[in-house]
Amino acid sequence: MKMVFLALLGLHSAVAVIHSLKYFYTGSSQVPNFPEYVVVGVLNDVQMDICDSNIKRAEPKQDWMNDITKDDPEYWKTQTEICFSVQPVFKANIETAKQRFNQTGGVHIAQGMLGCEWDDETGEVNGFNQQGYDGEDFIVFDLKTETWIAPKQQAVITKQKWDENKARIAQLKNYLTQGCPCWLKKYLNYGRSSLMRTELPSVSLLQKTPSSPVSCFATGFYPDRVMIFWRKDGEELHENVERGEILPNHDGSFQTSADLNISSVTPEDWRRYECVFQLSGVKEDIITKLDQTAIQTNWGKTGDGSSSGLPLGAVMGGVVVLLLLVVGIAGYFLWRMTNMETSED
């Protein structure tokens, strides 16, 4: 599924924030040790609840989600009913997709993402509903044209059928532009103290080998509205710098990095370089000087001859594990409108 990344400028000023509510879902066939049906809810890239065919209920993943029952004691019972009312649809859709692709048995996965984004300054709303099969996009809803897009030839029949169902399209549009943003704002209100918190990172300089780029690695920060870059003599560098993605940690915080290619940097010029980390809502930058004695490596010693304090392999290994966890949490989908999805049959 295509992921949307937000470029945020002017982090130290009172900038607008684009909030998101996304439901990822997965229906699977013959996948060992994995639920046949999984639904995961994500608010501002933080998992808030889950529902799957193993636990057989919807349940919170954040403490603040329990506060909803103060206003609606039947909330989790209702969400469980909604969640599992859609499970048969995924089983039917997998069977239909197998026929379209001339498949018989084997492992197959149907995935999807439903949700919306809301700009808290302009009020602009954007909604999306996209579905995939066996790791590739299958059909995507275009909210602007109110039509379905079929990236695969096998999905053309589905596109034609769904495009003709104007009532269903109107229902989906209403949810994406009205219902979803309403729930998004409601969840934000419950989780405000947690979601609006600010946590500063720990920043380290890491290097795999003496000839490798120096990585400025920041972890443990929140929220994920950050900028990290290298500069020389106070000027931001754009060449010989590679920025990493912002990735989630297991505790809800985030990590990111920026790599500086030092192959052409002479030892006497190292002091002219520094890594800058900026966090939205925080006035002070976190500045880390390019200092050979501060670099932590996994190839032996730091610049001053002492043992390195943090093996880079362990750090990068943790990143890989996190990526696998993100991929492993297959999809996420909380169907708030009954009968929104119908089988492709």
Side-chain angles (χ1 to χ4, degrees):
M1 310 307 292
K2 305 296 189 297
M3 303 301 294
V4 178
F5 295 96
L6 306 176
L8 296 160
L9 304 178
L11 288 171
H12 295 320
S13 59
V15 297
V17 176
I18 298 179
H19 302 281
S20 64
L21 174 61
K22 301 174 184 177
Y23 299 105
F24 297 95
Y25 63 91
T26 295
S28 61
S29 173
Q30 299 186 34
V31 179
N33 303 317
F34 192 80
E36 289 186 352
Y37 178 61
V38 181
V39 174
V40 179
V42 177
L43 179 67
N44 283 3
D45 297 322
V46 175
Q47 184 181 352
M48 64 181 190
D49 58 19
I50 189 171
C51 171
D52 69 46
S53 53
N54 283 353
I55 61 177
K56 302 185 184 304
R57 65 182 181 277
E59 59 182 27
K61 298 299 289 185
Q62 301 293 330
D63 291 340
W64 50 265
M65 281 294 288
N66 288 310
D67 294 338
I68 299 178
T69 56
K70 297 176 182 178
D71 300 320
D72 182 3
E74 299 296 313
Y75 176 82
W76 292 109
K77 178 181 178 182
T78 301
Q79 300 313 308
T80 298
E81 293 172 351
I82 294 173
C83 174
F84 288 105
S85 68
V86 188
Q87 183 178 6
V89 175
F90 290 100
K91 289 186 177 181
N93 286 348
I94 288 177
E95 292 304 314
T96 299
K98 286 165 62 177
Q99 295 177 15
R100 299 269 182 88
F101 286 92
N102 294 320
Q103 299 168 335
T104 53
V107 172
H108 298 286
I109 297 178
Q111 295 175 289
M113 179 174 68
L114 175 77
C116 58
E117 295 173 338
W118 167 63
D119 189 315
D120 66 5
E121 183 177 76
T122 66
E124 182 179 357
V125 169
N126 181 39
F128 33 79
N129 184 0
Q130 50 197 64
Q131 303 179 29
Y133 178 68
D134 283 352
E136 296 184 348
D137 286 345
F138 185 78
I139 193 165
V140 179
F141 183 65
D142 187 331
L143 182 58
K144 292 183 179 180
T145 63
E146 299 182 26
T147 59
W148 292 90
I149 300 172
K152 295 287 185 180
Q153 181 63 34
Q154 291 85 350
V156 171
I157 297 176
T158 302
K159 166 186 164 53
Q160 295 172 343
K161 176 182 176 182
W162 288 5
D163 279 347
E164 292 174 358
N165 193 338
K166 302 302 181 182
R168 180 176 180 272
I169 288 177
Q171 187 181 34
L172 177 58
K173 178 183 177 180
N174 181 71
Y175 172 73
L176 295 178
T177 59
Q178 302 295 326
C180 181
C182 181
W183 278 104
L184 189 160
K185 296 170 187 177
K186 182 178 294 187
Y187 291 136
L188 278 176
N189 187 54
Y190 284 112
R192 187 168 300 276
S193 61
S194 174
L195 295 171
M196 302 302 179
R197 73 187 189 277
T198 298
E199 293 181 3
L200 297 177
S202 62
V203 180
S204 305
L205 297 180
L206 310 175
Q207 191 177 30
K208 289 183 179 179
T209 70
S211 59
S212 298
V214 173
S215 178
C216 182
F217 179 73
T219 185
F221 59 86
Y222 191 92
D224 63 348
R225 298 186 295 277
V226 304
M227 289 289 287
I228 185 170
F229 55 91
W230 283 93
R231 65 188 182 193
K232 176 183 178 183
D233 297 333
E235 296 292 329
E236 181 178 352
L237 295 172
H238 299 285
E239 296 183 356
N240 298 320
V241 173
E242 182 177 351
R243 291 196 180 104
E245 295 180 8
I246 299 175
L247 301 172
N249 289 323
H250 71 282
D251 60 358
S253 65
F254 296 91
Q255 61 175 271
T256 191
S257 63
D259 294 352
L260 173 67
N261 187 335
I262 60 170
S263 59
S264 60
V265 179
T266 60
E268 57 268 22
D269 282 342
W270 276 48
R271 58 185 178 81
R272 301 169 63 186
Y273 293 81
E274 59 189 13
C275 172
V276 181
F277 179 92
Q278 298 175 342
L279 179 64
S280 177
V282 177
K283 294 182 179 180
E284 297 292 332
D285 295 343
I286 297 178
I287 299 176
T288 306
K289 295 287 186 179
L290 180 58
D291 183 351
Q292 191 174 25
T293 64
I295 295 177
Q296 301 176 34
T297 75
N298 65 349
W299 47 271
K301 305 292 184 178
T302 57
D304 62 354
S306 62
S307 298
S308 59
L310 181 63
L312 183 60
V315 175
M316 294 306 175
V319 173
V320 171
V321 170
L322 287 167
L323 286 172
L324 291 175
L325 287 174
V326 172
V327 173
I329 300 176
Y332 166 56
F333 176 72
L334 190 49
W335 204 260
R336 304 198 176 282
M337 300 180 303
T338 58
N339 300 320
M340 179 178 293
E341 290 292 351
T342 57
S343 172
E344 296 172 6
D345 290 321

